[in-house]
Amino acid sequence: MSGEENPAAIPAPVQDVQGDGRWMSQHARFVQECKDAEPDVLFIGDSMIQLMQQHEVWRELFSPLHALNFGIGGDTTCNVLWRLQNGELENIRPRVVVVWVGTNNHVHTAEQVAGGIVAIAEVLHNRLPKSKIIILGLLPRGERPNPLREKNAAVNGFLRSWLPRVCPVQFLDVGSSFVHSDGTVSPRDMFDYLHLTAGGYNTIAAPLNELLLQLLEETPQERRASLV
């Protein structure tokens, strides 16, 4: 699980294959947002995070919590690690960080992907020791059972056992809500059997919002400490 041995835990920017500098421009915009905003909640990850803000749940539930969305489509654990270590945590002190990444780590094993996600949790815990962390479990992929779906389920299994040993983290896995009794996933939930529809985001948003509200409620001790 150590970064030196695990290729999914080595920070790396996205290679600019297209030549338009788009990924680095998005990263630079996020770094600028850190200077301008004071978020209570930071969402960071891949397209599952990025596309969330195109749906009503973002405006209704998450935007009112003073949330920033640092999602970039196609990102892997390596890319998110690089972003965290290159300015996307500067000048902000979110009370909660929500991480959703790993389904794009195609070249890595389930064990490596889970290790990459654990490495992200460790960076967040070290850099933002007062922030609470939510890791979202990877969702099932494909209309029917397939190797990628099995891999994502295996990643979630590793995370369930590893994360509690590393740092205080909330692990939220709602993947089972998307699989019907016959093993299929509906296009009403995932329009391409990977990315979520508005209905799919609603399924995620209810338990996530409930957890966020719990974590954002300060205890009396926290409130006294913040007044000092």
Side-chain angles (χ1 to χ4, degrees):
M1 258 168 51
S2 75
E4 292 73 39
E5 300 158 10
N6 181 2
I10 297 171
V14 166
Q15 296 300 310
D16 186 21
V17 180
Q18 277 90 16
D20 59 5
R22 199 159 33 102
W23 187 87
M24 199 58 80
S25 297
Q26 285 176 283
H27 165 64
R29 178 166 61 84
F30 294 155
V31 172
Q32 186 59 45
E33 280 189 61
C34 289
K35 296 172 183 168
D36 301 334
E38 293 182 7
D40 282 331
V41 184
L42 173 65
F43 286 75
I44 191 158
D46 55 31
S47 60
M48 308 302 283
I49 291 285
Q50 183 180 25
L51 297 174
M52 194 183 285
Q53 61 188 340
Q54 295 179 10
H55 293 278
E56 200 58 41
V57 293
W58 184 264
R59 290 183 289 279
E60 278 185 9
L61 299 179
F62 302 132
S63 194
L65 300 179
H66 305 291
L68 276 184
N69 187 310
F70 284 3
I72 301 183
D75 264 16
T76 65
T77 53
C78 305
N79 308 140
V80 168
L81 274 169
W82 189 90
R83 292 200 275 135
L84 291 176
Q85 295 182 359
N86 285 273
E88 290 188 22
L89 295 179
E90 299 298 323
N91 307 304
I92 56 171
R93 292 292 173 267
R95 292 166 62 194
V96 184
V97 183
V98 180
V99 179
W100 206 3
V101 71
T103 200
N104 296 316
N105 283 65
H106 302 302
V107 300
H108 302 127
T109 66
E111 196 165 358
Q112 289 170 339
V113 178
I117 296 168
V118 168
I120 290 169
E122 289 178 313
V123 168
L124 289 168
H125 183 61
N126 291 334
R127 295 284 298 274
L128 302 170
K130 292 183 177 173
S131 300
K132 293 164 176 144
I133 303 167
I134 299 173
I135 304 288
L136 291 176
L138 303 187
L139 295 184
R141 299 173 57 126
E143 182 182 12
R144 302 181 184 284
N146 65 83
L148 277 178
R149 195 190 286 187
E150 290 166 20
K151 177 180 165 183
N152 281 6
V155 171
N156 292 342
F158 286 123
L159 290 174
R160 236 178 243 105
S161 87
W162 291 349
L163 283 169
R165 294 187 238 154
V166 176
C167 58
V169 164
Q170 301 278 344
F171 180 62
L172 182 62
D173 178 18
V174 297
S176 60
S177 311
F178 292 96
V179 181
H180 297 262
S181 56
D182 63 355
T184 61
V185 164
S186 168
R188 287 193 298 275
D189 292 322
M190 298 181 185
F191 60 86
D192 59 356
Y193 305 106
L194 170 62
H195 296 98
L196 295 170
T197 61
Y201 273 114
N202 286 336
T203 301
I204 291 277
L208 176 56
N209 188 54
E210 194 178 319
L211 181 56
L212 279 170
L213 293 177
Q214 280 174 24
L215 296 180
L216 287 168
E217 270 191 12
E218 291 182 316
T219 64
Q221 293 92 329
E222 284 175 323
R223 198 168 295 120
R224 276 201 299 276
S226 66
L227 293 172
V228 172

